[in-house]
Amino acid sequence: MTGSDGSATTPPDRSAAAPAADGPGRAARAGRVSTAVVVGAGLAGLTAATGLAARGIDVTVLEARTRVGGRTHGLLVAPGRQVDAGAAYLGERHTELLSLVKELGLDTTPTAMHGASRFVLGREGTTRDGRFPPLNAVALGDLFELLDELTAAVRPDAPWLTPDAARLDSLTAAAWAEQKLTHPDARLFFPLFLGEMMAADPADVSVLHMAFYLRSGGGVRYLNAFEGGAQQDRIAGGAHQVCERLAGRLGARVRLGEVVRAVHQDDDGVTVHATAGAYRADVAVMALPPLLADAVEYRPWLPVRRAGERTARGCAVKATLVYPEPLWREHGLSGWSVNAEGPLLSTVDDSPAEGGVGVLTGFVTGREARRFGALDPRRRRAAVVEQAARVFPMLPPPTALHITDWVNEQYSHGCYAALRGPGDWLRHGPTLTAPHRRVHWAGTETSTEYFGLMEGAVRSGHRVVAEILARG
């Protein structure tokens, strides 16, 4: 990873001139891969690293943070009780992640959704059964039909080859909504939905990216569902344990506090320049979000940068509100809420299954996340506590509040995933996974399956292992 602010260090005039892959002679000289450096100790990087190590390749993992896990992160909320401050949810279709969870001796626990929901979409809050908001059902039905039409038309394996891709990739989701959504309830709900699904402001993403993201994740209804959907379960004790256990298999080969500045290649290998020095290997795996990957200096220069001028950070902040126990359940509530105004645009019950503490996780997403992230810590906390009192007036103030700001996190540059803006897919899609000579790419943003999810990260790690084994 890099320690920069995400601005490109690669001169654009030289970037476009470099070859994209090894020529025939270079591949013949390369021989069998015996050493690899993996940059980034999140799910993708550690999946790749442990996969390579299991096949006899000598692996070194470099991580800029002082912890492993990337965009998974455990938060201690009570003695022996941790919850997810980052990526958290999974469903039955997330087969590679579920297989890994089982292999590592971890368990899943259902996301608790028993009871009524709270909605504050106007001046007064409303309590009602289920998760469907008290808005015009026909208008929301029309919205979801339009989204279904878009997702059905996109090519999930190659979005840039979707019919009418150029137009769809030039139009923002905000402009699309302005054209297509006529009912005020649909216009109110659309940015809330997109924030929950993608951590996106509609102005930041192209229609092509929105449609691809929804299709890649299993469709609108699967992504939006708890029971039977993509948010059905959590990993008991926190998703961060997956990375911790994978790193445990590698031991001292995982090196923390190593900020990668440059990756230089020649005919015989690759040299990764980091905080503690240079690491030499046959290949490198860059398991970084695209904005961070672009901040590394590459020689030869990249033929196409990993991000475009309109690529944005995923806009998500998590507020973890801690209570002595899940007190909302005593009032027949599930802990789920949807709110038209921030900072908390939605909340969910993330209380540990073992009990001992109650946890409401609040999501600050989209444009609201950027506004909230610019506040000083005191004003952030006050805004969250004040809103929680309005949404759940029957609850006492939380006993603790933790705020995890992924928008401004130095070594993530956003969460859930980078947001592809207008022009990004047509420009960057064809080179999404293509190795740059001895450099391979991993990360959920490189996966056309479950893009932006933990499942996508794991699948990208498996793909990179197969690519590297095929080299020699």
Side-chain angles (χ1 to χ4, degrees):
M1 293 187 174
T2 79
S4 77
D5 63 359
S7 58
T9 58
T10 305
D13 57 331
R14 298 175 66 180
S15 171
D22 291 327
R26 197 181 304 277
R29 290 196 297 272
R32 180 182 178 276
V33 172
S34 61
T35 57
V37 173
V38 176
V39 182
L43 272 172
L46 289 171
T47 298
T50 52
L52 293 171
R55 290 159 177 82
I57 295 175
D58 185 11
V59 177
T60 299
V61 180
L62 306 179
E63 169 58 51
R65 295 180 175 92
T66 56
R67 63 168 180 85
V68 301
R71 287 173 280 193
T72 64
H73 183 40
L75 186 65
L76 188 69
V77 292
R81 300 289 186 266
Q82 294 196 76
V83 297
D84 292 300
Y89 306 108
L90 67 158
E92 292 178 354
R93 298 185 192 177
H94 302 165
T95 53
E96 298 303 315
L97 178 57
L98 284 168
S99 176
L100 185 57
V101 166
K102 182 178 179 180
E103 177 191 335
L104 294 171
L106 297 168
D107 294 316
T108 61
T109 184
T111 306
M113 279 300 295
H114 305 295
S117 302
R118 289 282 295 162
F119 298 94
V120 185
L121 301 173
R123 292 185 178 181
E124 301 295 331
T126 302
T127 300
R128 62 187 296 173
D129 293 334
R131 293 178 60 211
F132 198 87
L135 298 172
N136 185 285
V138 173
L140 296 197
D142 290 344
L143 165 62
F144 285 118
E145 284 186 12
L146 289 168
L147 292 173
D148 283 341
E149 289 175 8
L150 283 173
T151 57
V154 75
R155 271 193 59 171
D157 62 322
W160 57 94
L161 297 179
T162 296
D164 204 20
R167 183 183 68 84
L168 295 174
D169 202 34
S170 67
L171 188 68
T172 67
W176 174 86
E178 186 68 26
Q179 294 174 10
K180 299 290 186 179
L181 305 182
T182 57
H183 196 285
D185 282 3
R187 292 191 172 194
L188 169 68
F189 188 71
F190 177 64
L192 301 178
F193 172 78
L194 213 62
E196 181 192 346
M197 293 296 97
M198 301 176 59
D201 179 341
D204 285 340
V205 295
S206 72
V207 174
L208 183 62
H209 182 64
M210 175 181 69
F212 161 75
Y213 189 104
L214 298 174
R215 176 73 181 272
S216 169
V220 173
R221 285 160 182 78
Y222 183 75
L223 271 175
N224 192 41
F226 283 87
E227 185 175 355
Q231 303 175 69
Q232 174 174 288
D233 296 314
R234 295 170 289 149
I235 297 172
H240 64 285
Q241 296 173 103
V242 176
C243 287
E244 289 178 353
R245 296 195 182 190
L246 288 174
R249 292 180 172 181
L250 297 167
R253 288 176 286 184
V254 178
R255 307 191 180 188
L256 303 179
E258 286 278 28
V259 180
V260 169
R261 308 292 186 188
V263 177
H264 296 166
Q265 304 182 63
D266 55 40
D267 289 351
D268 301 313
V270 58
T271 303
V272 179
H273 297 272
T275 304
Y279 296 83
R280 184 72 175 172
D282 296 323
V283 295
V285 176
M286 304 299 287
L288 304 179
L291 290 168
L292 287 173
D294 263 358
V296 175
E297 176 198 275
Y298 299 92
R299 295 183 187 172
W301 308 105
L302 295 181
V304 178
R305 291 173 52 191
R306 304 301 296 169
E309 293 181 0
R310 297 290 297 274
T311 305
R313 305 181 184 202
C315 294
V317 178
K318 266 192 169 183
T320 305
L321 297 90
V322 183
Y323 298 84
E325 56 185 306
L327 301 172
W328 47 92
R329 297 179 189 173
E330 299 175 3
H331 300 272
L333 298 175
S334 66
W336 174 258
S337 75
V338 176
N339 311 295
E341 296 183 359
L344 307 179
L345 299 179
S346 63
T347 63
V348 66
D349 184 345
D350 272 342
S351 304
E354 317 91 283
V357 67
V359 174
L360 280 179
T361 295
F363 291 86
V364 189
T365 57
R367 185 179 306 171
E368 185 63 30
R370 283 197 287 261
R371 186 199 68 78
F372 184 71
L375 300 177
D376 64 65
R378 181 188 60 81
R379 292 176 65 193
R380 288 189 191 187
R381 297 178 68 85
V384 169
V385 172
E386 180 184 348
Q387 186 179 12
R390 293 198 308 272
V391 177
F392 298 100
M394 69 294 295
L395 299 183
T399 56
L401 170 61
H402 307 273
I403 294 174
T404 309
D405 181 357
W406 291 101
V407 179
N408 297 304
E409 211 289 325
Q410 184 179 14
Y411 298 122
S412 293
H413 277 17
C415 192
Y416 321 143
L419 304 174
R420 295 287 184 187
D424 275 353
W425 272 113
L426 263 64
R427 170 66 171 159
H428 302 280
T431 59
L432 189 70
T433 60
H436 175 52
R437 301 191 178 211
R438 295 176 178 272
V439 175
H440 295 253
W441 310 102
T444 191
E445 287 97 343
T446 71
S447 180
T448 54
E449 301 172 307
Y450 301 99
F451 180 106
L453 305 182
M454 291 188 286
E455 178 73 6
V458 173
R459 292 191 183 206
S460 78
H462 291 323
R463 172 185 50 75
V464 162
V465 171
E467 286 176 1
I468 291 173
L469 294 177
R471 293 184 68 100

